[in-house]
Amino acid sequence: MASKQKYYVVWQGLKPGIYTSWDECQAQVKGVAAARYKSYKTMAEAEAAFKAGPPLADSEPELSCETRLDAILAANPDMPRPELNAIATDAACSGNPGVMEYRGVYVYTGTELFHFSHPMGTNNIGEFLGIVHGLAYMKKHNLNLPLYTDSVNAMQWVERKECRTKLPYNDKTADLYNIIHRAEAWLHSNSYNTPILKWRTELWGEIPADFGRKDR
């Protein structure tokens, strides 16, 4: 039986790129002390991973959302499976309002693609800005991937192209409101076909972009 086709991403090697055989990949990484590379099942996954950059931890190149879901899905074989070739966004806030941050990650590898923080905000604002940042990121990098969020509220705000926050406007929040207005303007002036999907936490556990804190 012929082996399944694999696609090899080389982030750091003699010539970074995507290769369709191990021999080609090995020629780029053999003898390179800081070589970073990984195989993928489809060209789409490889292209997205190459643009996203290498996994953060050298010691865990194979750690993926797929691996983390295996135990859950093994016990529930009929459970719907999330799309791994996707971007996920999430927010966290220390206090409400308080220090707010959001980030986006590539679901399959957990690689962080973008991160933003502000000294005064709310979790809902972070979730909204995270989605818009994700949409803009994919448009800039010409990616056609689903985008996951665990916030229904933020999904509705994005659909309405309006951040309906009740955060008071004052000296501490004026800069954040400027960022919000730029995000709203982006939504009004840009078209996109990105599917914005709800991450089903009750089935799959925490969204891959989760900060691992429950202080929101």
Side-chain angles (χ1 to χ4, degrees):
M1 180 182 295
S3 60
K4 293 183 178 179
Q5 174 69 55
K6 287 187 177 182
Y7 301 87
Y8 299 86
V9 175
V10 176
W11 293 282
Q12 296 180 29
L14 296 177
K15 185 178 180 181
I18 300 173
Y19 298 90
T20 56
S21 75
W22 168 242
D23 287 343
E24 291 176 318
C25 175
Q26 188 178 42
Q28 307 306 319
V29 302
K30 188 174 181 179
V32 178
R36 301 294 303 277
Y37 57 95
K38 181 178 172 66
S39 66
Y40 293 88
K41 296 178 181 178
T42 69
M43 178 59 81
E45 290 177 349
E47 290 175 342
F50 182 65
K51 291 180 180 179
L56 294 178
D58 288 338
S59 62
E60 298 179 349
E62 297 299 330
L63 183 62
S64 67
C65 182
E66 183 176 33
T67 300
R68 294 191 295 272
L69 284 167
D70 277 348
I72 299 173
L73 296 172
N76 302 275
D78 296 327
M79 180 185 297
R81 188 181 188 90
E83 174 58 59
L84 301 181
N85 189 31
I87 290 176
T89 65
D90 197 27
C93 192
S94 299
N96 192 33
V99 178
M100 177 272 294
E101 59 185 324
Y102 69 79
R103 67 174 181 162
V105 306
Y106 180 53
V107 172
Y108 185 72
T109 62
T111 302
E112 185 174 272
L113 306 178
F114 54 83
H115 177 268
F116 174 82
S117 64
H118 194 277
M120 184 60 64
T122 68
N123 194 71
N124 282 334
I125 292 174
E127 299 279 12
F128 169 79
L129 292 176
I131 295 175
V132 179
H133 196 148
L135 294 173
Y137 179 92
M138 283 195 271
K139 188 157 192 175
K140 177 181 178 180
H141 294 278
N142 196 30
L143 295 173
N144 184 24
L145 306 176
L147 190 152
Y148 279 108
T149 175
D150 60 8
S151 173
V152 173
N153 189 59
M155 293 173 70
Q156 293 174 344
W157 286 2
V158 169
E159 183 177 2
R160 294 166 180 164
K161 303 181 180 182
E162 180 182 6
C163 180
R164 297 191 171 187
T165 179
K166 296 181 180 179
L167 181 70
Y169 182 93
N170 52 43
D171 292 342
K172 293 182 178 180
T173 62
D175 179 60
L176 180 61
Y177 265 93
N178 287 334
I179 295 170
I180 291 171
H181 293 155
R182 289 202 300 269
E184 292 172 335
W186 189 94
L187 290 172
H188 283 283
S189 60
N190 287 271
S191 60
Y192 58 89
N193 296 317
T194 304
I196 302 176
L197 307 177
K198 174 67 169 64
W199 181 266
R200 301 185 64 179
T201 307
E202 75 282 4
L203 297 181
W204 307 324
E206 295 296 340
I207 193 167
D210 181 62
F211 284 90
R213 303 194 300 271
K214 298 306 168 191
D215 53 0
R216 291 177 288 181

